């Protein structure tokens, strides 16, 4: 119904050339009453207690009232113990404020309602986190790379910031923040903020993030971290094991930054550093501003997976500067970022590599679309009543990217670059929803150059299911050659030894493995493994692609390696499909259970939740 309404509104208004401006849709994943009163500045004062695996201290909110009569401030919270709440009166005197935690909602957590006195402009919430705080992972020393010191990190996107800070947890709102963090003296704390490189390691750290950011970008990590610069504006934070390797792997980061700034406007955040996390980090990367969080599984020694850095860096514009205002509109973050990432890869590593990565992404999207409900394959998601963690797929990423690629192809690079730059500039430090984007697109591109692409076509991409026919492809000569050679092997025209694999990049390997028939005979799998040691690959992408082929075929030699991988790595994108495939193979269900029992304590709460769902069927 709503969709129909939007569609007719857009169609009508595109006919009339007048756009009906509508209030931004509400964020269905937040209790916060930001329309009446909102935080504009947040100050944290937290102690990191590794013995209790707990953060405790206070969050101070500087408030702006939109409704002068507002008498309540509603914050989001999840699994927090609220100890007391104070509010400052007009003279700056702190007094107790009444508060109540509402009923638990399985997805959103609990509203924390604070009674405001008429003049109060600041509120301080004293609290501590609990074992159920889903946005934090506490690792003991044995679970880290160096195995000497414990480690803590946060992952707030999409709605987990509320599990370690009581705040208005919606991307429709931006706050600037500062923090004082106390840790054991031998450890270093870092945040998505100004990380002074010369900070004395004394267990007492101060941070400032002067630019306003959405709550999901507030981030912290504490561990035996060290810093190594890569260039004037980029560097690595990591445990010692990774420091030099990461600096070598990601040495092109400055180049990427320079190219990105030239394309879409000056880098808006000062420094860009990378934090290398333990292998349990649940994502490939997370674009926390000034300090992207990165999985160590992309440190391969050959820069083969650095598109992840291009991706997280691109978020400095698409996502961090212009932010999806609610989680239905995730494609505005991820689709733009995938598009931007591919553009950066083409500029820094050449169009041939970018075309291979593009083609692999399209394959991933097609695989996801085949498995998803059609309703979940529209660009704008319908997440009402659902956990945003459960609905993420390649649709927001790659279908979003393809729509933008289509527009670039049709309007030409020059016009489309200018359009994107204007978009980032006009909406910098603001939140964006699909409706507003479409309006901007209509005015700044479709109507400016009429007859090139119609709004109807765009709406089909945004609200319609599946992948529209005629989606843009990038041709890869390298992949075409691999496909041809693979065919020749299958038709017994050549042997495996005759394949020019010595020159293959990781991408060509991935294409090769993905193209292999899904019903290969055990002897063929063994032949491939004997020739190329695919079961032993130390490249996580190659290993997982090979496992996706071989687990359903119950190819036993891969199983011990699968176990090792699952015990070591916690990146959800890899481990969830592997568990699913093991469970779908009736001969390996017991094996899957046995591995999970052993591996579970090392996984992030988000990863555990996803695997638990796979086990529940
Ligand atoms: N922002 C995302 C990670 C994310 C998305 C976390 C939604 C929680 C909810 C990050 O930028 C990302 O997309 N990471 C990808 C890497 C990428 C190259 C596609 C990942 O982790 O695999
Ligand atoms: Zn992303």
């Amino acid at each position: 119904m709503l969709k129909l309404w939007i569609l007719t509104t857009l169609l009508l208004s595109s006919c009339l050339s007048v756009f009906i401006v509508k209030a931004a849709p509400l964020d269905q994943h937040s209790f916060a009453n930001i329309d009446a009163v909102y935080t504009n500045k947040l100050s944290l004062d937290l102690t990191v207690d590794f013995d209790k695996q707990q953060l405790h201290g206070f969050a101070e909110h500087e408030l702006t009232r939109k409704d002068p009569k507002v008498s309540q401030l509603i914050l989001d919270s999840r699994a927090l113990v609220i100890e007391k709440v104070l509010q400052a009166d007009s003279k700056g005197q702190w007094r107790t404020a009444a508060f109540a935690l509402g009923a638990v909602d399985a997805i959103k957590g609990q509203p924390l309602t604070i009674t405001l006195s008429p003049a109060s402009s600041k509120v301080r919430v004293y609290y501590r986190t609990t074992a159920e705080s889903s946005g934090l992972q506490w690792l003991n020393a044995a679970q880290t790379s160096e195995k000497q010191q414990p480690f803590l990190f946060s992952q707030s996107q999409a709605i987990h910031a509320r599990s370690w800070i009581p705040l208005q947890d919606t991307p429709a709102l931006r706050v600037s923040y500062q923090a004082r963090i106390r840790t054991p003296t031998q450890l270093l704390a870092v945040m998505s903020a100004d990380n002074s490189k010369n900070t004395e390691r004394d267990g007492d750290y101060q941070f400032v993030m002067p630019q306003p950011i959405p709550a999901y970008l507030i981030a912290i990590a504490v561990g035996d971290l060290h810093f190594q610069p890569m260039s004037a504006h980029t560097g690595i934070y990591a445990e010692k094991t990774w420091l030099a390797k990461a600096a070598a792997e990601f040495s092109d980061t400055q180049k990427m930054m320079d190219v990105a700034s030239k394309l879409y406007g000056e880098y808006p955040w000062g420094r860009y550093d990378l934090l290398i996390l333990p292998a349990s980090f649940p994502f490939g990367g997370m674009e926390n501003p000034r300090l992207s969080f990165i999985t160590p599984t992309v440190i391969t020694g050959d820069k083969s997976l650095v598109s992840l850095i291009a991706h997280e860096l691109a978020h400095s514009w698409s996502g961090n500067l212009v932010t999806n205002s609610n989680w239905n509109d995730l494609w505005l973050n991820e689709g733009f970022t995938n598009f931007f990432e591919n553009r950066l890869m083409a500029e820094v590593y050449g169009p041939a590599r970018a075309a291979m990565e593009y083609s692999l992404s399209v394959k991933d999207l097609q695989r996801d679309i085949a498995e998803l409900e059609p309703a979940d394959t529209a660009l704008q998601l319908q997440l009402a009543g659902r956990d945003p963690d459960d609905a993420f797929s390649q649709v927001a990423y790659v279908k979003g990217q393809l729509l933008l690629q289509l527009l670039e192809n049709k309007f030409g690079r020059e016009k489309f670059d200018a359009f994107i730059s204007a978009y980032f500039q006009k909406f910098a430090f603001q939140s964006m929803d699909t409706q507003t984007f479409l309006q901007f697109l209509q005015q700044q591109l479709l109507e400016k150059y009429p007859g090139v692409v119609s709004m109807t076509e765009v709406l089909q991409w945004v609200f319609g299911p599946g992948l529209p026919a005629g989606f843009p492809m990038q041709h890869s000569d390298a992949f075409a050659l691999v496909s041809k050679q693979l065919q020749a092997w299958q038709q017994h025209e050549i042997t495996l030894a005759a394949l020019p694999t010595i020159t293959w990049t990781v991408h060509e390997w991935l294409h090769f493995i993905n193209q292999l028939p899904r019903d290969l005979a055990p002897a063929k799998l063994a032949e491939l493994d004997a020739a190329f040691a695919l079961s032993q690959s130390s490249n996580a992408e190659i290993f997982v692609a090979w496992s996706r082929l071989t687990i359903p075929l119950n190819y036993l030699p891969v199983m011990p390696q699968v176990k090792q991988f699952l015990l070591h790595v916690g990146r959800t994108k890899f481990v969830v499909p592997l568990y699913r495939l093991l469970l779908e193979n009736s001969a390996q269900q017991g094996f899957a259970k046995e591995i999970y029992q052993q591996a579970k304590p090392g996984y992030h709460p988000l990863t555990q939740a996803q695997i638990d769902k796979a086990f529940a069927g």
Side-chain angles (χ1 to χ4, degrees):
M1 190 60 205
L2 179 71
K3 255 196 317 201
L4 209 80
W5 184 84
I6 294 171
L7 233 118
T8 37
T9 313
L10 283 163
L11 286 174
L12 247 173
S13 52
S14 68
C15 295
L16 299 172
S17 285
V18 189
F19 233 98
I20 300 160
V21 181
K22 193 178 69 99
L26 288 176
D27 182 349
Q28 298 139 334
H29 295 104
S30 171
F31 292 110
N33 58 336
I34 61 170
D35 284 344
V37 53
Y38 62 88
T39 307
N40 55 50
K41 194 170 161 212
L42 180 71
S43 305
L44 300 172
D45 189 319
L46 297 173
T47 299
V48 183
D49 184 336
F50 278 99
D51 293 331
K52 292 192 184 140
Q53 300 207 325
Q54 183 182 91
L55 296 179
H56 63 87
F58 66 80
E60 185 177 307
H61 295 255
E62 236 179 72
L63 302 174
T64 300
R65 288 159 189 255
K66 273 186 164 169
D67 171 1
K69 291 200 283 294
V70 68
S71 61
Q72 289 184 330
L73 168 69
I74 307 177
L75 305 180
D76 293 295
S77 83
R78 182 206 305 284
L80 295 179
V81 175
I82 308 299
E83 286 158 352
K84 64 175 174 184
V85 180
L86 303 181
Q87 59 185 321
D89 65 20
S90 50
K91 297 191 195 82
Q93 280 285 323
W94 288 101
R95 292 179 203 284
T96 309
F99 70 91
L101 270 178
V104 175
D105 177 285
I107 294 162
K108 289 190 283 189
Q110 287 173 285
L112 171 60
T113 305
I114 297 164
T115 306
L116 294 177
S117 59
S120 62
S121 61
K122 273 188 193 172
V123 160
R124 237 187 216 190
V125 183
Y126 286 80
Y127 70 100
R128 57 196 149 88
T129 62
T130 66
E132 274 67 53
S133 290
S134 51
L136 298 178
Q137 188 177 17
W138 298 86
L139 298 170
N140 58 40
Q143 294 168 311
T144 65
S145 305
E146 291 282 318
K147 315 219 179 296
Q148 302 298 318
Q149 297 291 342
F151 202 107
L152 163 71
F153 66 87
S154 67
Q155 166 56 43
S156 298
Q157 197 182 8
I159 55 171
H160 300 282
R162 65 191 65 177
S163 77
W164 65 282
I165 309 170
L167 44 51
Q168 296 181 310
D169 193 5
T170 168
L173 177 69
R174 312 177 79 89
V175 296
S176 56
Y177 79 87
Q178 59 185 45
R180 178 166 183 189
I181 306 292
R182 295 154 225 258
T183 73
T185 47
Q186 69 278 20
L187 301 183
L188 181 67
V190 291
M191 290 192 84
S192 54
D194 175 35
N195 288 285
S196 171
K197 288 164 289 167
N198 306 316
T199 303
E200 196 190 336
R201 216 182 167 86
D202 60 357
D204 188 351
Y205 305 103
Q206 314 249 11
F207 302 94
V208 182
M209 168 45 89
Q211 291 106 323
I213 59 169
Y216 76 88
L217 294 177
I218 304 178
I220 187 171
V222 180
D224 189 5
L225 294 169
H226 298 267
F227 178 76
Q228 182 169 326
M230 293 192 292
S231 67
H233 301 108
T234 70
I236 302 284
Y237 287 93
E239 289 184 75
K240 279 221 169 97
T241 337
W242 291 114
L243 208 54
K245 283 184 198 134
E249 192 86 27
F250 305 134
S251 62
D252 298 327
T253 307
Q254 181 71 51
K255 236 183 266 171
M256 292 179 179
M257 251 177 112
D258 296 344
V259 170
S261 298
K262 223 179 257 163
L263 278 176
Y264 297 139
E266 202 187 331
Y267 178 74
W269 307 94
R271 291 192 59 83
Y272 182 65
D273 294 317
L274 304 173
L275 169 69
I276 310 304
L277 287 124
S280 68
F281 186 60
F283 292 102
M286 178 63 214
E287 65 270 27
N288 297 315
R290 296 184 185 216
L291 183 68
S292 284
F293 284 24
I294 303 295
T295 172
T297 60
V298 292
I299 303 175
T300 53
D302 59 4
K303 298 189 178 181
S304 57
L305 305 179
V306 297
S307 61
L308 178 90
I309 307 301
H311 181 96
E312 304 312 336
L313 171 67
H315 272 306
S316 304
W317 289 261
S318 43
N320 299 3
L321 190 61
V322 182
T323 307
N324 56 209
S325 66
N326 69 86
W327 299 112
N328 291 325
D329 293 334
L330 181 73
W331 77 278
L332 295 174
N333 277 14
E334 300 299 346
F336 273 72
T337 297
N338 256 32
F339 174 79
F340 194 164
E341 165 202 328
N342 197 252
R343 191 69 202 282
L344 288 179
M345 291 306 292
E347 299 281 345
V348 178
Y349 298 95
R353 173 163 177 177
M356 290 194 281
E357 292 182 345
Y358 185 100
S359 172
L360 289 168
S361 298
V362 172
K363 278 273 146 42
D364 286 346
L365 172 65
Q366 286 168 328
R367 185 173 58 200
D368 273 11
I369 286 181
E371 287 170 6
L372 287 165
E373 293 294 332
D376 288 334
T377 63
L379 275 181
Q380 192 181 45
L381 301 170
Q382 301 295 330
L383 296 177
R386 298 164 76 188
D387 186 338
D389 287 344
D390 295 344
F392 287 142
S393 73
Q394 292 298 310
V395 170
Y397 286 84
V398 185
K399 190 178 171 185
Q401 173 186 0
L402 297 186
L403 168 58
L404 298 176
Q405 189 66 58
L406 175 89
L407 294 171
E408 186 197 88
N409 293 357
K410 291 278 173 78
F411 287 94
R413 181 161 275 185
E414 201 182 321
K415 291 191 179 98
F416 196 63
D417 274 352
F419 167 75
I420 300 264
S421 296
Y423 171 71
F424 288 144
Q425 202 178 341
K426 172 150 190 201
F427 299 105
F429 297 106
Q430 293 180 37
S431 296
M432 175 59 48
D433 56 73
T434 294
Q435 184 89 2
T436 311
F437 169 70
L438 290 176
Q439 193 178 330
F440 186 73
L441 176 72
Q442 163 143 314
Q443 289 165 354
Q444 298 301 318
L445 208 60
L446 307 192
E447 280 177 357
K448 216 163 161 179
Y449 311 104
V452 182
V453 175
S454 71
M455 185 47 92
T456 318
E457 190 179 350
V458 174
L459 294 178
Q460 185 57 39
W461 275 82
V462 176
F463 299 111
L467 191 48
F471 67 87
M473 252 330 265
Q474 284 188 30
H475 177 78
S476 163
D477 288 338
F479 278 9
L481 194 59
V482 170
S483 296
K484 220 172 101 192
Q485 289 160 341
L486 172 59
Q487 215 179 19
W489 172 64
Q490 283 178 268
Q491 289 165 357
H492 309 287
E493 290 161 14
I494 59 170
T495 65
L496 287 182
L499 292 175
T501 56
I502 203 88
T503 65
W504 283 2
T505 62
V506 167
H507 306 94
E508 285 156 300
W509 275 111
L510 290 173
H511 179 69
F512 177 76
I513 297 168
N514 291 342
Q515 295 296 110
L516 287 168
R518 301 288 103 178
D519 58 355
L520 273 184
K524 288 277 178 197
L525 296 176
E527 186 189 341
L528 285 161
D529 219 3
F532 308 129
L534 293 167
S535 296
Q536 318 295 325
S537 177
S538 59
N539 186 297
E541 293 283 353
I542 291 182
F543 179 75
V544 171
W546 174 245
S547 300
R548 276 177 177 270
L549 169 71
T550 54
I551 293 173
L553 298 173
N554 202 34
Y555 174 67
L556 296 180
V558 81
M559 300 302 173
Q561 310 306 323
V562 169
K563 179 173 177 178
Q564 280 318 305
F565 185 88
L566 291 173
L567 286 175
H568 179 66
V569 174
R571 188 174 168 190
T572 312
K573 170 184 139 175
F574 293 143
V575 303
V576 172
L578 293 187
Y579 278 108
R580 280 212 190 108
L581 292 173
L582 287 172
L583 288 171
E584 282 164 16
N585 175 347
S586 56
Q588 300 301 339
Q589 284 166 357
F591 185 56
K593 259 187 217 139
E594 177 198 313
I595 300 173
Y596 188 37
Q597 220 164 30
Q598 213 180 322
K600 188 172 180 175
Y603 291 149
H604 190 280
L606 294 175
T607 314
Q608 288 186 18
Q610 298 294 322
I611 301 171
D612 287 341
K613 268 177 210 147
F615 272 92

